[in-house]
Amino acid sequence: MSLTLESDERTGTVFLWESGAASLLFIDSKTERTWQDHAVLNSENDLPQTLAPLVKLVEAAADGN
């Protein structure tokens, strides 16, 4: 499964595999900044914590930061 969040020049994508592995990718095309992270989800309760940094970066673009 994958989920993509977009706001102006910023795109954040998370890829989730059945094994619980998660890969996060953030791209800011304006500043050419790229950030990646990997995590292992032990339960569905881990998902909000795993997504939090990605959501924060995309929300910052919507707020003009």
Side-chain angles (χ1 to χ4, degrees):
M1 177 181 92
S2 69
L3 171 69
T4 301
L5 306 171
E6 294 183 47
S7 180
D8 295 327
E9 297 94 7
R10 295 182 181 180
T11 302
T13 303
V14 63
F15 300 94
L16 300 170
W17 286 270
E18 197 171 321
S19 66
S23 179
L24 292 92
L25 174 63
F26 170 78
I27 301 170
D28 186 330
S29 59
K30 185 175 182 180
T31 64
E32 298 183 5
R33 179 179 171 208
T34 301
W35 169 81
Q36 277 188 291
D37 195 15
H38 302 280
V40 176
L41 305 175
N42 295 310
S43 74
E44 61 187 54
N45 295 330
D46 293 341
L47 187 58
Q49 182 179 350
T50 301
L51 291 176
L54 192 64
V55 172
K56 185 176 179 181
L57 290 169
V58 174
E59 283 179 339
D63 294 337
N65 298 319

